[in-house]
Amino acid sequence: MTADMSLRDELQDLHENKHRKLPSDALEIMDRAARELAATRMAGSAVGVGAQAPRFTLPSATGKDVALDSLLADGPVVLTFYRGAWCPYCNLALRALQQHQDAITARGARLVAVSPQIPDESLSLIEKEQLAFEVLSDGGSEVAERFGIAFDLSDELGDLYDRFGFDLQRVNSGNVRTLPLPATYVIDRTGVIRWAFVTTDYTVRAEPSEIVAALHALT
């Protein structure tokens, strides 16, 4: 992420470059799936601002159990859901969050990322992207389901992802069809969600500067 570009700009560039390289039949499948997911209006019905964040305990990349309550005992939590290391948009967003990690911790908050992929995949991601925050494994997207952001891929889109070589059967330990929407929450020490970004559009993510501003507002 360059100093003069926002994450939104970087994601838009990635989207345009990726789409130019995809065959027309793949684009049709992806665009149809995107329209169908948007039509569910899931983003509007997900757990949102003012609600208590669903509690959870999930394994970290090193196999350690991490509980939301334990994190909140030390201060606010920035909780971000992503699809997996196979998703270039997710990787770009995680790199942008890493670049804002100091600003997040300076406001007394902890940054935590959650995906349905197995811990070994999370560890590989941490090492590749040099992430300094916890990356947790939500097998079967059960926690995402509690937040109201879990959805099932259509067979058509799942088959396309297989063609792309994403191997969700392996990286999600058999839970191949369920993924989380892109979502980021700022949760205060009492467990109340004070800021939320949820979208059905996988090419869009929360802007790190807006996350930092939401944390600043807590103080």
Side-chain angles (χ1 to χ4, degrees):
M1 186 173 177
T2 59
D4 58 344
M5 289 185 73
S6 68
L7 175 58
R8 289 188 182 93
D9 291 336
E10 296 261 1
L11 289 167
Q12 182 62 35
D13 282 353
L14 174 62
H15 182 60
E16 291 174 357
N17 289 332
K18 284 285 181 184
H19 267 51
R20 279 199 292 267
K21 298 174 183 177
L22 290 174
S24 59
D25 67 320
L27 286 174
E28 289 175 8
I29 292 171
M30 294 170 71
D31 289 345
R32 180 162 51 250
R35 290 193 302 271
E36 291 172 352
L37 185 57
T40 66
R41 302 186 182 276
M42 281 185 64
S45 61
V47 174
V49 173
Q52 278 282 331
R55 300 306 200 261
F56 61 80
T57 300
L58 292 173
S60 71
T62 57
K64 176 183 66 176
D65 284 343
V66 177
L68 178 58
D69 279 335
S70 296
L71 297 171
L72 292 172
D74 296 328
V77 169
V78 175
L79 178 66
T80 189
F81 289 86
Y82 69 103
R83 302 194 299 170
W86 51 269
C87 169
Y89 300 92
C90 299
N91 294 334
L92 187 56
L94 292 173
R95 285 197 293 271
L97 286 171
Q98 176 58 44
Q99 291 173 6
H100 287 75
Q101 166 80 340
D102 288 346
I104 290 170
T105 57
R107 286 157 178 81
R110 294 280 297 275
L111 174 59
V112 180
V114 175
S115 87
Q117 64 186 6
I118 59 177
D120 281 352
E121 289 296 310
S122 298
L123 185 59
S124 297
L125 175 67
I126 288 171
E127 293 170 347
K128 178 182 177 182
E129 303 295 347
Q130 300 183 333
L131 305 179
F133 49 85
E134 292 280 17
V135 179
L136 309 181
S137 294
D138 179 23
S141 293
E142 292 180 3
V143 173
E145 181 72 37
R146 291 183 224 161
F147 277 82
I149 59 171
F151 71 98
D152 291 334
L153 295 173
S154 67
D155 289 342
E156 185 181 44
L157 185 57
D159 291 344
L160 179 63
Y161 283 179
D162 287 342
R163 278 172 49 192
F164 288 165
F166 292 158
D167 197 8
L168 299 187
Q169 178 72 35
R170 180 184 64 82
V171 301
N172 288 356
S173 190
N175 300 294
V176 296
R177 289 292 187 254
T178 307
L179 297 175
L181 298 179
T184 300
Y185 299 91
V186 172
I187 306 169
D188 72 16
R189 295 191 66 163
T190 69
V192 175
I193 297 171
R194 297 299 184 187
W195 185 88
F197 175 94
V198 183
T199 180
T200 58
D201 187 347
Y202 69 91
T203 71
V204 180
R205 297 294 190 278
E207 194 68 35
S209 60
E210 294 173 4
I211 297 169
V212 173
L215 287 170
H216 184 72
L218 292 181
T219 60

